[in-house]
Amino acid sequence: MEPIGMAYGNLRQRNQFATLLSMGLVALLWTHGQAGPRGRRVLMAAGALLVAGLAASTSRTGLLQLGVIAAAGGWMAWRERAPVEPGAVTQGAARQPLLPRPGWFLGALALYALLSWALPWSAVMVASFLAGGGSAGADVQGMLTRLREGAPPGHSRWLLWSNVLWLIAQRPWTGWGWGQLSLVHYLAEYPGPRFVEILDNAHNLPLHLAVELGIPAAVLICGGFLWMVAAARPWQERDPARLMAWGVLAMIVLHSLVEYPLWYGPFQLVFGLCLGMLWPGRRQTSAMWDAEAASTTILQRQAARARWAARLTAAALLAVVAYAGWSYVRVSQPFLPAAERLAGWRDNPLAQLDPDGRDWLFARQARFAELALTPLTPQTAARVHALAQATLAFSPEPRVVVKLIDSARLLGLEQEAQFHLERLRVVYPEAYARWLAGKPPA
C-alpha cells in the first residue's frame, strides 16, 4: 500500500504523471485558441484541475515544467496583445488572441503554491481522522518538504550523476556499451559514495548516451538535435498546432534531463508524433513546362503512391504490434499468479518459453522468469549458473546475484563465488546480511 499523499495516477511514479499533466496543459492552451467564450471558461476550469494534479504529484520536474509553461505562455500572451507601433505594417484585421491573458499564467503559479500547502495538510487531516485521531499521515511529504530535504541518503540525483560521470571518465571515447550501465554500476568500485539502487539509466539523456556510447556519440546526437531545433527557430513560430508540438516536446526534453521518459511507449509515441508535425514538408519547385497540366498528373501519381505506402506501412505496423503483443502475453505468464494465467501456461509456464526463438523480443525477461522459477539443485546448477550470468547484465538485483553465487559454489567455482559475494556485500549490504543468515533476498 502506497503512503497517503503520493499522487501518480495509473503510472509508475509521480514524474511521469506530472509530465503527462504538463503535456495536457500545453494541449489545453492550443485548444483554448480554437474554442468560443463558453468553451474557454470550461478549459480554464480544466486547466485549474491539471494544476491541482501537478501540485498533488509533488513532482519537482512538474514544478519546473509548470514554470516553463507559465513563462513561455505568459510571454506569448503578452506578445499577442502588445500594441502595434505607429507606422507598422499590418496584414488584415487584428486577430483575436489565442492564449489566455498573461495574468492567468501568474494565477496558475499562485494556485499551485496554494495547493502545495493545502493538499498535504488536508491529507494529514484525512489520515488522522481515518486513524481515529492518531498521528497517521503526519509524514505526508509535500512539495516544500521535498524541496527543502531532497532525496533520502544514497538516492539523490547528484550522487547518481557523480557515479555516472566517474564511469564516463573510465571510457570516455567508446562508452561501456548499450544496455550495460546496470552491470557496470554493479561491478564498479567507486572512490566515494555509490548510488544505492540498481542503475540502468543515467536519469539524464546526454549523460546516458555518453556513458553507454561514449562522449563523441553523445555530442553528435545531442548536438544534431539542437542544431535541428535552432534551424527550425521555434521562437519565431506562429502556427498554434506547431507551437503545441514544440511545447509538448519541451516537456519531454525537460523530463529527459532528470529521468528517462523516452524509454516508455506513451512518451515515445508522443515524441514521434510531434516530430512528424514539425518535420518540414517538401518544397514545391517550379517546372519548365506547363505547370497546370504537369502538376495535376504529378499530384495524382504522388497521391496513388502515398496511398499504397500508407497501406503497406499500416499493414507492417499491425503485424509488428500483433507479434509484439503475442510475445508479451507469452512471456508475462510466469510473472502472473497461476489462477490468472492462460489455460496452457498454468501448470508449467516455463515449458512454453523460448527465449532463443519465438520470444527473442523479450528474451531477457524470459530468462529472468526461468531463473526465478528454477530451483537450484546439483542437476540444475549449470543451467541456473548460465541463466544468472546472462541475467546479471539485465537486472543485477540481489536475487540474481545470490543464485549466481550459490550455483557457482555448487559447480566448484569458488573464485567467482567469492568475487560476487564481495560485490553483494558492497552493493547490497542488507541482502548480504540476509544471505549470511540463510534467508532469501527480500
Side-chain angles (χ1 to χ4, degrees), residues 52-84:
L54 282 172
S57 73
T58 65
S59 166
R60 290 167 292 187
T61 302
L63 174 58
L64 175 62
Q65 291 168 335
L66 180 62
V68 170
I69 292 172
W75 174 72
M76 287 189 289
W78 171 83
R79 187 180 63 179
E80 278 189 321
R81 294 167 173 81
V84 179

Side-chain angles (χ1 to χ4, degrees), residues 222-423:
C222 296
F225 182 77
L226 291 176
W227 176 82
M228 288 190 295
V229 171
R233 299 183 179 182
W235 55 88
Q236 294 183 355
E237 189 62 66
R238 294 296 184 271
D239 180 71
R242 290 175 60 86
L243 280 171
M244 177 188 64
W246 281 116
V248 171
L249 276 182
M251 298 302 102
I252 297 176
V253 169
L254 284 175
H255 194 171
S256 297
L257 296 180
V258 295
E259 274 180 351
Y260 44 104
L262 290 176
W263 269 249
Y264 296 101
F267 298 102
Q268 293 171 354
L269 288 173
V270 174
F271 192 82
L273 286 172
C274 289
L275 290 182
M277 292 175 65
L278 297 171
W279 201 260
R282 297 178 179 177
R283 297 180 179 179
Q284 296 181 351
T285 57
S286 58
M288 297 297 293
W289 55 84
D290 184 8
E292 184 176 354
S295 63
T296 301
T297 304
I298 292 173
L299 288 176
Q300 288 175 346
R301 291 175 180 174
Q302 289 179 344
R305 285 196 295 265
R307 284 194 296 270
W308 276 107
R311 291 168 184 169
L312 292 174
T313 302
L317 287 175
L318 286 174
V320 170
V321 170
Y323 174 78
W326 176 236
S327 295
Y328 175 81
V329 169
R330 290 172 51 83
V331 175
S332 65
Q333 297 305 304
F335 297 92
L336 298 174
E340 299 180 14
R341 295 172 188 160
L342 298 176
W345 279 266
R346 286 175 186 167
D347 297 330
N348 187 9
L350 295 181
Q352 304 288 342
L353 297 185
D354 184 16
D356 299 323
R358 290 174 296 174
D359 300 319
W360 64 270
L361 191 60
F362 298 101
R364 298 181 300 176
Q365 290 82 357
R367 285 192 289 266
F368 184 91
E370 184 179 354
L371 177 66
L373 296 180
T374 302
L376 179 59
T377 66
Q379 292 73 29
T380 63
R383 178 59 179 170
V384 169
H385 184 259
L387 287 170
Q389 285 185 318
T391 306
L392 197 66
F394 169 58
S395 182
E397 57 190 83
R399 72 180 74 183
V400 174
V401 178
V402 167
K403 280 214 167 182
L404 180 57
I405 294 170
D406 293 341
S407 62
R409 284 190 159 181
L410 272 179
L411 295 172
L413 305 174
E414 282 297 327
Q415 186 175 359
E416 180 183 354
Q418 287 300 320
F419 172 81
H420 288 287
L421 188 59
E422 177 62 17
R423 297 315 304 153

Side-chain angles (χ1 to χ4, degrees), residues 86-111:
V89 178
T90 60
Q91 295 181 353
R95 191 174 63 173
Q96 180 74 14
L98 300 177
L99 292 171
R101 293 184 178 276
W104 283 101
F105 295 94
L106 294 177
L109 294 176
L111 177 62

